[in-house]
Amino acid sequence: FLFCNPGLLELSLGKFRNVLLNQTNPVEAVIRNIASNVTVIIFQVHAQQSDVVISFDKNPSVNSSGTGVDKGLVSILQPQQSVCTWYLRSLDASQVLSTAISIPYMEKDPIPGGCNLEFDLEVDPNIYLDYTLVDIHIKFAPANLGYTRGANPPSCDSGTGQNSRWRLRYDVYQYFLPENDLSEMVLMSHIRKMSEVQSIKANGIKMLTLTTDDKTNVYFSSLPGQGVIYNVIVWDPLWNTSAAYIPVHTYACSFADLVDNCTSLSKLSTKVFFTALAILGLFTCFFGHRFWKTDLFFMGFIFAGFFFFVFITRVTGLGYDVRLILTAVAGIIGGLFLVASWWRFGSVLLCMFIIGLVLGFLFSSTVFFTPLGDYRVFRDDVVFWVTFSSVALMIPVLFVGCPRILNILASGIVGSYAVILAIACYVYTSLAYITLDLLRRVLNDYFSRAYTNVPFQTNDFIILSVWTMLALSGVTVQLRRERSEMPFPPHPYLTWKRERERRSTNVLDPSHHIPPLRERIHNKLLHIKEFFQKEQPAGERTPLLL
């Protein structure tokens, strides 16, 4: 990494330079000896979290400067021009590490942001990014066709034919930074891979292609704590030429917040909730079928807790911690209700339907977690929910004839996934978004427009291996242990009822001579009453017999 001399940054076209910026002394960036066949230069600067100001003049104005962590300017070269100058400074009082590059384009290359009608700059190659905890929104100005030095730019509204800007296409790319790494140097080294056309195509993930008829804005699912870089390549199909916009990055979190910042995303309540759920899930993974009532409680807790959290989030404005506590209470009630239903009615089919639905929801969420979930057809909520529900219901239907295997599979897979959710509270893993993206789609009406691609790196492969190992081990142990046992325990209420009838008719059974419960309680109360009575005085109380 090379750092410039204070006050002056000598650049070469296509070469990155790192520079330390401050608030008081602007840095002058200069490129000399520009070739005559270069018609446009895009100069850009990037910092991790502190805004920088990039301008054409020492005294920046709104129409000649940009402010942000990822900003750039387009210099339209005049005939005989061979030198370009820009000015850089930070808005932070302390020094800010940044990296800068200038990229040249020729007369047939399209000009990013050349038909800007929305933002302040006349030609704006920047991508504007906003994020929430749910989604990320990027938008950019349309491009224009390239032209020679000194010529007038092509009209942006002269028509929609093949000789106008309407022939241009926009490819949107996504690039993930290494997981669990928030360092500045990592960002500086990786943003270089998303700045020029060829390196973007080689390293980025192409998410979609927009035509000029489409709106130039795209939504992605938010990944708090995970660094992501976005960029757009505009392509001219007539000349087969391309140009890149200014790459923009986000971690979908704040470095400055004291609570819930990029280094401590999970709340304490979330950690407690999912850690407790993981302990119960790990027990269910290996012993769920043997301890049938515990298994029912676990599945009932998940089923009731999920739907209650959706309901209370939709209809109330309660804080997250309050909602999580109420969800835990509702889950406990739901689990106890499922256990009580089994004890009273003994319906294996009803209990297995609930258990199959829980496994089906997890299976269907996993299917839509794959690239299949980003197909355009599933942007329609009706298509998505009909398909999702059909896949989820397929699990209990397929296993209707073998409920024991269904229960063992559900306890092994769902129980082990509860462990993965607990791990996600402490270490980032994309596997948590299998169910989180489903929850986001249920709670947010517009999440269907977001692309849900996530990184899958070394950390995720390790945690996926842990999930697979736990699930296979739990299912195998339970299948081997339960193969010679009854499929399910006998109906507890009927067993109790038959036992009571047997005791009432079998006089040889010692329990037959035990008084009824009402009589035993009455005798106990009489015994307690006698204990508090006064002791009778000694002496003869009866008349003498004659």
Side-chain angles (χ1 to χ4, degrees):
F1 292 93
L2 301 175
F3 294 87
C4 69
N5 293 325
L8 180 64
L9 177 64
E10 292 279 357
L11 294 172
S12 300
L13 290 175
K15 301 294 184 181
F16 274 93
R17 290 291 301 273
N18 283 1
V19 55
L20 289 173
L21 302 177
N22 58 53
Q23 189 176 23
T24 55
N25 299 314
V27 171
E28 182 180 2
V30 179
I31 294 181
R32 309 180 193 277
N33 303 319
I34 301 173
S36 59
N37 62 342
V38 176
T39 58
V40 170
I41 294 179
I42 297 181
F43 177 67
Q44 56 188 271
V45 62
H46 305 276
Q48 186 186 39
Q49 52 179 306
S50 300
D51 287 344
V52 298
V53 179
I54 177 174
S55 63
F56 291 112
D57 308 307
K58 280 189 175 181
N59 299 315
S61 63
V62 174
N63 297 325
S64 66
S65 66
T67 302
V69 292
D70 301 289
K71 284 297 171 182
L73 297 173
V74 172
S75 292
I76 308 294
L77 300 181
Q78 301 300 318
Q80 310 304 320
Q81 183 178 353
S82 61
V83 177
C84 274
T85 303
W86 305 271
Y87 295 90
L88 306 171
R89 66 180 179 87
S90 72
L91 292 181
D92 206 344
S94 58
Q95 285 190 325
V96 174
L97 174 64
S98 63
T99 187
I101 186 176
S102 56
I103 301 175
Y105 292 102
M106 313 305 174
E107 64 181 71
K108 292 184 178 180
D109 297 329
I111 301 175
C115 286
N116 171 44
L117 297 175
E118 181 178 357
F119 310 109
D120 293 327
L121 294 171
E122 182 179 357
V123 179
D124 195 339
N126 295 287
I127 298 174
Y128 293 84
L129 183 148
D130 297 307
Y131 71 85
T132 67
L133 288 176
V134 175
D135 59 18
I136 293 170
H137 177 211
I138 65 170
K139 56 183 178 179
F140 53 93
N144 200 358
L145 302 177
Y147 55 96
T148 59
R149 290 196 188 192
N152 293 323
S155 173
C156 291
D157 299 310
S158 60
T160 58
Q162 287 299 305
N163 293 324
S164 68
R165 70 173 181 91
W166 292 87
R167 72 179 187 234
L168 299 177
R169 299 291 183 267
Y170 302 88
D171 296 330
V172 182
Y173 284 82
Q174 184 182 50
Y175 179 87
F176 295 109
L177 296 175
E179 293 178 353
N180 300 307
D181 196 331
L182 305 177
S183 63
E184 284 183 314
M185 288 301 184
V186 167
L187 172 64
M188 298 304 161
S189 61
H190 284 271
I191 207 164
R192 301 181 177 198
K193 299 178 181 180
M194 290 293 288
S195 297
E196 298 181 88
V197 172
Q198 295 305 318
S199 61
I200 294 172
K201 293 181 177 180
N203 297 285
I205 304 170
K206 184 179 176 180
M207 298 301 298
L208 72 156
T209 298
L210 300 174
T211 65
T212 312
D213 294 327
D214 299 318
K215 292 182 178 180
T216 54
N217 59 75
V218 187
Y219 291 85
F220 299 89
S221 61
S222 184
L223 306 173
Q226 169 62 47
V228 190
I229 302 173
Y230 299 98
N231 206 346
V232 177
I233 294 177
V234 54
W235 173 55
D236 187 339
L238 180 63
W239 299 110
N240 195 27
T241 55
S242 301
Y245 281 72
I246 308 300
V248 61
H249 78 279
T250 182
Y251 296 91
C253 57
S254 172
F255 285 88
D257 291 346
L258 297 178
V259 181
D260 299 332
N261 54 43
C262 289
T263 57
S264 60
L265 289 171
S266 294
K267 294 177 177 288
L268 179 61
S269 57
T270 304
K271 293 179 179 178
V272 172
F273 180 88
F274 283 104
T275 301
L277 186 66
I279 294 172
L280 184 58
L282 187 62
F283 179 85
T284 305
C285 177
F286 288 93
F287 306 102
H289 196 72
R290 170 65 62 89
F291 295 88
W292 171 238
K293 294 178 183 178
T294 304
D295 187 24
L296 288 179
F297 176 82
F298 177 67
M299 297 298 176
F301 181 93
I302 294 175
F303 188 82
F306 177 84
F307 285 102
F308 182 81
F309 185 82
V310 170
F311 171 77
I312 198 174
T313 303
R314 278 284 194 175
V315 302
T316 71
L318 296 175
Y320 174 78
D321 290 339
V322 176
R323 282 181 286 143
L324 198 61
I325 293 173
L326 294 177
T327 298
V329 174
I332 293 172
I333 294 173
L336 293 176
F337 177 79
L338 192 59
V339 173
S341 299
W342 155 253
W343 192 92
R344 182 62 182 86
F345 302 106
S347 176
V348 174
L349 288 179
L350 174 63
C351 295
M352 292 314 303
F353 180 73
I354 299 296
I355 292 174
L357 274 184
V358 174
L359 179 60
F361 268 64
L362 180 58
F363 176 73
S364 189
S365 299
T366 305
V367 170
F368 283 95
F369 179 71
T370 66
L372 178 68
D374 280 333
Y375 281 17
R376 187 177 294 272
V377 65
F378 295 120
R379 294 280 179 267
D380 187 290
D381 282 330
V382 175
V383 175
F384 174 83
W385 287 116
V386 169
T387 307
F388 182 91
S389 302
S390 300
V391 174
L393 288 171
M394 182 178 65
I395 298 299
V397 171
L398 287 178
F399 288 92
V400 67
C402 40
R404 176 165 66 176
I405 294 178
L406 173 59
N407 183 54
I408 291 175
L409 286 174
S411 60
I413 297 173
V414 178
S416 56
Y417 184 70
V419 177
I420 302 304
L421 290 178
I423 294 175
C425 294
Y426 303 92
V427 179
Y428 176 87
T429 174
S430 297
L431 295 177
Y433 290 94
I434 292 176
T435 50
L436 183 57
D437 281 344
L438 171 65
L439 187 63
R440 287 172 168 178
R441 183 131 191 184
V442 174
L443 294 176
N444 300 275
D445 295 331
Y446 300 105
F447 189 72
S448 58
R449 64 191 176 184
Y451 288 84
T452 56
N453 188 40
V454 296
F456 216 80
Q457 302 177 7
T458 304
N459 196 49
D460 300 301
F461 283 107
I462 294 174
I463 296 178
L464 178 61
S465 301
V466 172
W467 183 18
T468 304
M469 180 191 67
L470 285 175
L472 289 177
S473 301
V475 171
T476 303
V477 167
Q478 292 194 74
L479 285 176
R480 289 180 61 87
R481 186 176 57 238
E482 302 296 332
R483 59 186 175 183
S484 59
E485 302 291 335
M486 292 179 58
F488 288 93
H491 182 191
Y493 178 73
L494 291 179
T495 303
W496 172 81
K497 195 173 182 180
R498 284 196 300 265
E499 184 66 20
R500 187 183 65 173
E501 292 174 354
R502 184 186 64 80
R503 288 198 304 266
S504 64
T505 57
N506 185 5
V507 296
L508 298 179
D509 189 345
S511 62
H512 173 78
H513 304 284
I514 299 176
L517 178 62
R518 182 182 298 178
E519 186 176 339
R520 280 181 283 162
I521 294 175
H522 180 69
N523 292 337
K524 194 70 174 176
L525 290 175
L526 286 177
H527 180 71
I528 295 174
K529 183 178 179 181
E530 291 175 357
F531 179 78
F532 289 100
Q533 285 181 345
K534 290 184 178 181
E535 185 178 353
Q536 297 295 331
E540 184 62 53
R541 286 284 189 175
T542 59
L544 295 174
L545 296 177
L546 297 176

